[in-house]
């Protein structure tokens, strides 16, 4: 038993040594699942907005017209639900997003039902990574991220967008991530189909009304 334990410990040490010897370009290879998107500026604004909801003491006509009620408690509940729905959308967007880095410098970026391929390149010091279009495109631009963290179990990217900063937190992809993303993608497709159907029904009703009015 002691020998077996020693072998396990030795094997673990070897794996750690090999991981430590990997270069950043080797370490990033493989598929990574987005855990979360962080935007400190946006998060701060959301917290301020959430606090402001509790301070509402009256409902003016503009707010009532927009939300469909003059009832103060109902207005607060609607506004808080909107924030909850927005947070869930952001969480679902993360679950549907991943990056798959290949040794030939291509990266497959999945965002919901959208799949894009780009070319990735990393600085020699492993501190920056750039995503470029696979072919020169008039409207497509490259994006360069700072690599805040890169280990075998964590990848954190940072990019500045004007006055705000976006962080992308990733971890190694698992089979469970694939199942969760597929479920959300299916729900999104069904919702889009339902919206299209409702729009078509509205357009058909409007056309029928126009035809009826023209016959009068």
């Amino acid at each position: 038993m002691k020998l077996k334990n020693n072998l396990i410990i030795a094997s673990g040490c070897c794996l750690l040594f090999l991981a430590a010897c990997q270069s950043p370009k080797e370490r990033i290879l493989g598929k990574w699942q987005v855990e979360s998107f962080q935007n400190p500026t946006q998060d701060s604004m959301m917290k301020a907005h959430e606090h402001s909801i509790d301070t509402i003491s009256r409902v003016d006509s503009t707010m009532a017209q927009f939300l469909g009620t003059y009832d103060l408690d109902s207005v607060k509940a609607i506004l808080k639900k909107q924030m909850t729905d927005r947070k869930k959308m952001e969480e679902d967007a993360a679950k549907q997003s991943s990056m798959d880095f290949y040794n030939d410098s291509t990266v497959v970026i999945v965002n919901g039902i959208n799949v894009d391929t780009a070319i990735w390149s990393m600085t020699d010091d492993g501190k920056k990574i750039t995503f470029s279009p696979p072919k020169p495109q008039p409207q497509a631009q490259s994006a360069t991220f700072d690599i805040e963290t890169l280990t075998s179990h964590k990848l954190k990217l940072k990019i500045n967008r004007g006055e705000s900063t976006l962080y992308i937190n990733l971890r190694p992809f698992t089979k469970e991530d694939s199942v969760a993303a597929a479920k959300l993608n299916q729900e999104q497709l069904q919702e889009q189909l339902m919206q299209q159907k409702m729009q078509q029904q509205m357009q058909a009703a409007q056309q029928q009304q126009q035809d009826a009015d023209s016959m009068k």
Side-chain angles (χ1 to χ4, degrees):
M1 179 64 70
K2 186 176 180 181
L3 177 60
K4 182 179 179 181
N5 289 337
N6 289 338
L7 289 174
I8 292 174
I9 294 173
S11 299
C13 291
C14 289
L15 290 174
L16 289 174
F17 178 76
L18 290 173
C21 291
Q22 283 185 315
S23 68
K25 293 181 180 179
E26 293 172 325
R27 199 174 299 136
I28 203 171
L29 296 177
K31 193 168 185 177
W32 297 81
Q33 170 67 37
V34 175
E35 279 193 310
S36 64
F37 297 103
Q38 287 180 288
N39 187 323
T41 301
Q42 179 179 294
D43 293 343
S44 178
M45 292 174 63
M46 289 283 286
K47 287 182 180 179
H49 180 55
E50 188 173 8
H51 175 71
S52 69
I53 293 174
D54 293 326
T55 64
I56 298 175
S57 58
R58 58 182 294 272
V59 181
D60 58 32
S61 57
T62 303
M63 187 180 296
Q65 183 178 6
F66 180 71
L67 298 177
T69 179
Y70 274 95
D71 183 72
L72 181 59
D73 291 335
S74 296
V75 165
K76 289 184 177 181
I78 292 171
L79 293 175
K80 287 182 178 180
K81 185 178 184 305
Q82 288 178 347
M83 292 195 64
T84 301
D85 290 344
R86 180 172 179 177
K87 289 178 182 178
K88 185 178 184 305
M89 287 178 62
E90 292 176 353
E91 292 172 357
D92 288 347
K95 292 177 182 179
Q96 293 174 277
S97 301
S98 63
M99 297 182 182
D100 198 352
F101 294 88
Y102 290 89
N103 200 32
D104 62 356
S105 297
T106 60
V107 55
V108 177
I109 302 173
V110 177
N111 182 12
I113 59 176
N114 300 313
V115 180
D116 295 314
T117 301
I119 302 298
W120 69 272
S121 58
M122 186 186 295
T123 54
D124 292 336
D125 58 8
K127 293 184 178 181
K128 291 183 181 294
I129 187 168
T130 299
F131 299 99
S132 305
K135 295 181 180 179
Q137 300 175 15
Q139 297 180 346
Q141 296 181 345
S142 299
T144 299
F145 291 78
D146 293 326
I147 300 176
E148 295 279 294
T149 306
L150 175 55
T151 66
S152 59
H153 60 275
K154 183 177 181 180
L155 172 61
K156 185 173 184 177
L157 304 178
K158 167 189 170 184
I159 188 170
N160 295 319
R161 291 182 172 178
E163 298 181 355
S164 65
T165 301
L166 173 66
Y167 294 92
I168 305 178
N169 299 300
L170 306 99
R171 56 169 172 73
F173 190 86
T174 66
K175 292 182 179 180
E176 288 76 12
D177 295 323
S178 180
V179 174
K183 181 180 178 181
L184 289 169
N185 289 345
Q186 185 62 32
E187 291 175 356
Q188 184 177 346
L189 285 171
Q190 289 177 349
E191 185 176 350
Q192 289 180 355
L193 290 173
M194 186 178 295
Q195 290 177 351
Q196 291 175 2
K197 185 177 180 179
M198 291 177 62
Q199 186 176 6
Q200 291 171 356
Q201 289 175 344
M202 289 177 61
Q203 290 174 347
Q206 290 174 354
Q207 185 62 47
Q208 289 178 357
Q209 186 62 45
Q210 291 175 0
D211 294 341
D213 292 341
S214 63
M215 295 178 65
K216 291 181 180 179

